[in-house]
Amino acid sequence: MTRYQNTYGPWAVVTGASSSIGWACADDLARRGLWVVLVARREDQIQPLADHLKARYGAEARVVTADLATREGQAHVQAETADLDVGLLVAAAGLGAPGRLPETDLDAEMPMLGVNGQAVVRQAHSFGQRFAARGRGGLVFFGSVGGFQGTSLLAHYAATKSFVQGLAEEVRLAFGSAGVDVIASVPGPVATESANVAHVKLGPKASPAKVAHGTLSKLGKRATAYPGLVSKILAGSLAFLPRWRRPYVIQQGMGRMTPHQQM
């Protein structure tokens, strides 16, 4: 707790905090003694988390509602945190939708690109500069095991996670010398709200709490975290396969998926 408070405190920003991994990260950070800015689209679902953090840990929490798929929403997060001494960003917001790319509604795919790609770049740029100026801080990005190769039923999603992985690796080089810790988390299947909504069957799933703790405990120690046993097994087994073969293995392990739908 002391290390986290001294290095990444007093405030942390968590995007996608209304559910799943974002919610779990906010809870984990409050337990470590940080105050948390909770960012999500739905205020009615995020206010209970703010109340929970204050009641259980005595943590201050600021609720920021923003649609990170839009430039206005991305800028709003910066404006609403400008007066705070933020030392940590956890970019947990993400969109994903199953389906074969030729059959998808392209207009419905664009918000995914905004949240998983553009918003992460803007956050890395703005918060990275803020942390570098103060000489300490941390950036946490969420990729996916699916981001290390194409995935036929999650082609766009996998591509955005590949982008996040590459961005995190470069940002670590860019800001590491200024005292900013950067980590890319690479979960396997996770029991998230998005997966439940889409009825995605991915076999054994790690809990959001396990992913959050396994990621945050490695910040400042590792460049990449593989939270959960399934993540470690998948990443290890895929590493020995040629890249062209990996998508087939991933597809076989995904089971039946619903037709494309936006989440």
Side-chain angles (χ1 to χ4, degrees), residues 109-191:
E109 291 286 331
M110 292 303 100
M112 190 195 310
L113 187 60
V115 174
N116 297 8
Q118 294 174 348
V120 177
V121 173
R122 290 184 182 278
Q123 292 159 7
H125 181 266
S126 56
F127 283 108
Q129 289 185 328
R130 289 173 64 172
F131 301 162
R134 73 203 292 265
R136 61 187 175 90
L139 297 166
V140 179
F141 302 102
F142 281 91
S144 169
V145 171
F148 289 120
Q149 64 283 308
T151 304
S152 66
L153 294 178
L154 290 168
H156 187 188
Y157 176 80
T160 64
K161 291 305 179 179
S162 178
F163 173 84
V164 169
Q165 181 68 32
L167 179 70
E169 292 170 359
E170 171 55 28
V171 168
R172 185 169 184 265
L173 294 176
F175 290 117
S177 60
V180 182
D181 296 327
V182 181
I183 192 168
S185 180
V186 185
V190 182

Side-chain angles (χ1 to χ4, degrees), residues 193-215:
E193 178 182 306
S194 295
N196 293 334
V197 169
H199 307 293
V200 179
K201 301 180 183 300
L202 295 174
K205 303 180 183 72
S207 70
K210 180 173 290 187
V211 172
H213 182 75
T215 299

Side-chain angles (χ1 to χ4, degrees), residues 8-184:
Y8 309 119
W11 284 92
V13 174
V14 180
T15 68
S18 62
S19 64
S20 305
I21 295 175
W23 179 292
C25 284
D27 185 85
D28 195 290
L29 291 172
R31 181 181 59 80
R32 295 173 189 267
L34 272 64
W35 296 341
V36 190
V37 177
L38 307 170
V39 181
R41 291 177 297 169
R42 300 166 292 184
E43 183 175 1
D44 61 327
Q45 293 196 15
I46 201 171
Q47 186 60 50
L49 174 58
D51 298 338
H52 161 77
L53 298 181
K54 185 173 183 178
R56 183 170 185 179
Y57 305 110
E60 294 293 326
R62 176 178 293 187
V63 172
V64 176
T65 57
D67 183 358
L68 296 180
T70 68
R71 179 171 294 188
E72 293 76 16
Q74 297 160 16
H76 185 61
V77 175
Q78 299 303 317
E80 290 296 306
T81 61
D83 63 320
L84 302 179
D85 186 11
V86 178
L88 179 64
L89 167 72
V90 179
L95 291 177
R100 299 182 186 280
L101 189 61
E103 302 165 2
T104 60
D105 178 355
L106 193 57
D107 289 337
E109 291 286 331
M110 292 303 100
M112 190 195 310
L113 187 60
V115 174
N116 297 8
Q118 294 174 348
V120 177
V121 173
R122 290 184 182 278
Q123 292 159 7
H125 181 266
S126 56
F127 283 108
Q129 289 185 328
R130 289 173 64 172
F131 301 162
R134 73 203 292 265
R136 61 187 175 90
L139 297 166
V140 179
F141 302 102
F142 281 91
S144 169
V145 171
F148 289 120
Q149 64 283 308
T151 304
S152 66
L153 294 178
L154 290 168
H156 187 188
Y157 176 80
T160 64
K161 291 305 179 179
S162 178
F163 173 84
V164 169
Q165 181 68 32
L167 179 70
E169 292 170 359
E170 171 55 28
V171 168
R172 185 169 184 265
L173 294 176
F175 290 117
S177 60
V180 182
D181 296 327
V182 181
I183 192 168

